[in-house]
């Protein structure tokens, strides 16, 4: 079978309300582009009817393939699986919620034909989101850029086109905690941006509440930077220096003055503060050690229950 020119990787988790519209818009865009294509949907252990709907697309359309996980493994593993199974010369990555417009694909493809290996969507504006979400997202991207050692573009997600060479390079990377946009930046190659306005969700609820965003930020920083460990070392040194100066003052007062200790409030405050810093440093070290533990176990990042397309369904 001839490999398609374009693959579209679409991770999906509990998207029954929007998945039919996603398929319709993607199909319309890809047909207009006039090149052989495939739609690689990754069902990330959905608990609603997402898998059944996707299987119905496979039965009707030879361009659709379904990578079905054995359970929910998460957004990054789902994208990784889609990249593993994508066969195209260029691979689009887009979420199923339609906040990122597939109508931008032709413009991305044009940049790719000009010689760019990565064409990422960069958000100029975000519609349908609260002020808190917009501010926290802006802080998140700038925090990641400042803390990590990789030059990651601001206000970008996984919505992008990557060349086959980039896809193969990322697929060869062995780590299990995969921050895809960071890995794509890390492997290099010639990259450029396409600006767009991010829309509100077509239907359903966001799969990234604040709790997941915080965990996501930690994964990003600790996958690409040792700065938290350096910060812990600096804090430890400053606290030790402060403690030494304070001890010198106490010894001077005890030996050369009649000053008496008025109470334990200041001492208790210092002890609580320093112990808090120590626990924070241990927590940072624990996060890194936990990730090392996950890596050395060498478990797969995901388990695929089945890969389904029209041909496989016909052979059942």
């Amino acid at each position: 079978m001839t490999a398609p020119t374009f693959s579209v990787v679409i991770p999906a988790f509990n998207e029954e309300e929007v998945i039919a519209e996603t398929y319709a818009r993607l199909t319309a865009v890809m047909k207009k582009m006039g090149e052989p294509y495939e739609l690689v949907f990754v069902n990330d252990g959905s608990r609603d009817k997402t898998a059944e709907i996707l299987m119905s697309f496979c039965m009707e359309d030879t361009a659709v393939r379904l990578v079905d996980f054995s359970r929910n493994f998460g957004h990054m593993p789902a994208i990784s699986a889609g990249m593993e199974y994508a066969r195209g010369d260029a691979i689009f990555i887009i979420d199923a919620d339609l906040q990122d417009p597939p109508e931008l694909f032709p413009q991305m493809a044009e940049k790719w034909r000009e010689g760019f290996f990565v064409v990422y969507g960069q958000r100029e504006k975000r519609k349908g989101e609260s002020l808190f979400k917009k501010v926290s997202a802006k802080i998140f991207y700038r925090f990641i850029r400042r803390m990590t050692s990789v030059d990651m573009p601001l206000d970008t997600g996984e919505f992008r086109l990557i060349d086959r060479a980039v896809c193969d390079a990322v697929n060869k990377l062995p780590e299990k905690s995969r921050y895809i946009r960071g890995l794509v930046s890390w492997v290099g190659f010639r990259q450029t941006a396409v600006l767009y306005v991010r829309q509100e969700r077509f239907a359903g609820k966001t799969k990234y509440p604040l709790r997941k965003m915080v965990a996501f930020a930690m994964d990003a920083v600790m996958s690409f930077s040792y700065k938290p460990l350096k910060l812990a070392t600096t804090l430890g040194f400053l606290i030790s220096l402060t403690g030494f100066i304070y001890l010198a003052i106490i010894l001077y007062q005890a030996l050369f003055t009649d000053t008496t200790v008025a109470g334990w409030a200041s001492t208790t405050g210092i002890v609580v503060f320093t112990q808090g810093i120590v626990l924070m440093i241990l927590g940072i070290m624990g996060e890194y050690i936990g990730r090392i533990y996950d890596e050395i176990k060498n478990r797969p990042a995901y388990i695929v229950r089945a890969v389904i397309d029209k041909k496989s369904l016909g052979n059942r």
Side-chain angles (χ1 to χ4, degrees):
M1 183 177 179
T2 305
T5 303
F6 296 111
S7 296
V8 185
V9 172
I10 315 104
F13 175 64
N14 291 346
E15 297 287 5
E16 65 178 1
E17 296 177 73
V18 69
I19 201 70
E21 180 67 16
T22 302
Y23 166 72
R25 282 178 61 180
L26 287 171
T27 301
V29 169
M30 299 311 297
K31 285 184 175 179
K32 282 183 180 180
M33 291 178 68
E35 299 273 5
Y37 72 93
E38 65 175 357
L39 304 180
V40 183
F41 287 94
V42 183
N43 176 41
D44 186 20
S46 298
R47 293 185 287 270
D48 60 6
K49 295 181 180 179
T50 299
E52 289 87 337
I53 297 170
L54 291 174
M55 286 187 67
S56 71
F57 298 156
C58 292
M59 294 176 67
E60 299 168 0
D61 190 344
T62 56
V64 178
R65 300 170 72 208
L66 169 60
V67 179
D68 194 22
F69 279 1
S70 61
R71 65 170 176 85
N72 177 245
F73 285 93
H75 190 221
M76 293 296 116
I79 294 175
S80 297
M83 291 170 60
E84 286 278 355
Y85 284 92
R87 299 172 297 187
D89 298 325
I91 296 92
F92 294 105
I93 302 172
I94 186 171
D95 289 341
D97 57 16
L98 293 178
Q99 287 189 274
D100 301 320
E103 290 76 16
L104 213 60
F105 285 176
Q107 189 177 346
M108 289 179 164
E110 186 62 32
K111 293 286 186 182
W112 173 62
R113 290 190 176 94
E114 289 174 10
F116 290 98
F117 285 77
V118 178
V119 185
Y120 51 83
Q122 192 165 41
R123 301 157 187 164
E124 287 186 296
K125 189 177 179 182
R126 306 167 70 105
K127 290 186 176 181
E129 295 179 347
S130 66
L131 178 62
F132 174 78
K133 176 70 174 179
K134 291 177 182 177
V135 172
S136 61
K138 192 169 185 176
I139 293 172
F140 167 78
Y141 289 115
R142 281 144 187 83
F143 174 74
I144 296 299
R145 185 181 177 90
R146 188 157 184 91
M147 287 297 291
T148 58
S149 55
V150 176
D151 184 20
M152 284 182 270
L154 294 173
D155 303 316
T156 61
E158 271 60 55
F159 178 48
R160 62 189 61 213
L161 175 151
I162 59 174
D163 184 81
R164 166 52 55 187
V166 177
C167 185
D168 290 343
V170 173
N171 286 343
K172 289 177 183 176
L173 298 177
E175 60 253 53
K176 303 298 184 295
S177 299
R178 301 174 69 82
Y179 182 62
I180 300 297
R181 71 190 76 166
L183 295 177
V184 170
S185 295
W186 184 85
V187 298
F189 297 93
R190 193 178 178 208
Q191 307 192 11
T192 190
V194 170
L195 301 178
Y196 75 105
V197 175
R198 195 169 201 232
Q199 303 298 316
E200 59 183 309
R201 283 183 64 94
F202 179 81
K205 296 180 180 179
T206 180
K207 305 304 184 296
Y208 267 98
L210 180 61
R211 174 181 57 82
K212 283 192 175 183
M213 285 297 294
V214 172
F216 193 53
M218 290 182 65
D219 282 340
V221 171
M222 293 183 180
S223 294
F224 290 93
S225 177
Y226 299 110
K227 286 184 179 180
L229 288 175
K230 293 179 180 178
L231 176 62
T233 302
T234 303
L235 282 173
F237 174 77
L238 291 175
I239 291 168
S240 297
L241 180 62
T242 302
F244 178 79
I245 294 172
Y246 186 62
L247 177 62
I249 293 172
I250 291 174
L251 288 174
Y252 175 82
Q253 289 178 339
L255 294 174
F256 301 107
T257 72
D258 295 329
T259 304
T260 57
V261 178
W264 292 99
S266 59
T267 304
T268 303
I270 292 171
V271 169
V272 170
F273 174 72
T274 54
Q275 289 302 309
I277 295 295
V278 168
L279 289 173
M280 183 186 76
I281 293 170
L282 289 174
I284 292 172
M285 294 174 64
E287 289 288 342
Y288 279 100
I289 292 170
R291 280 159 176 76
I292 295 170
Y293 178 61
D294 282 339
E295 293 294 331
I296 63 174
K297 285 187 294 188
N298 203 29
R299 292 175 184 168
Y302 55 85
I303 295 174
V304 175
R305 186 186 68 83
V307 179
I308 301 166
D309 56 18
K310 188 171 184 178
K311 183 178 179 181
S312 66
L313 288 171
N315 292 333
R316 290 186 177 183

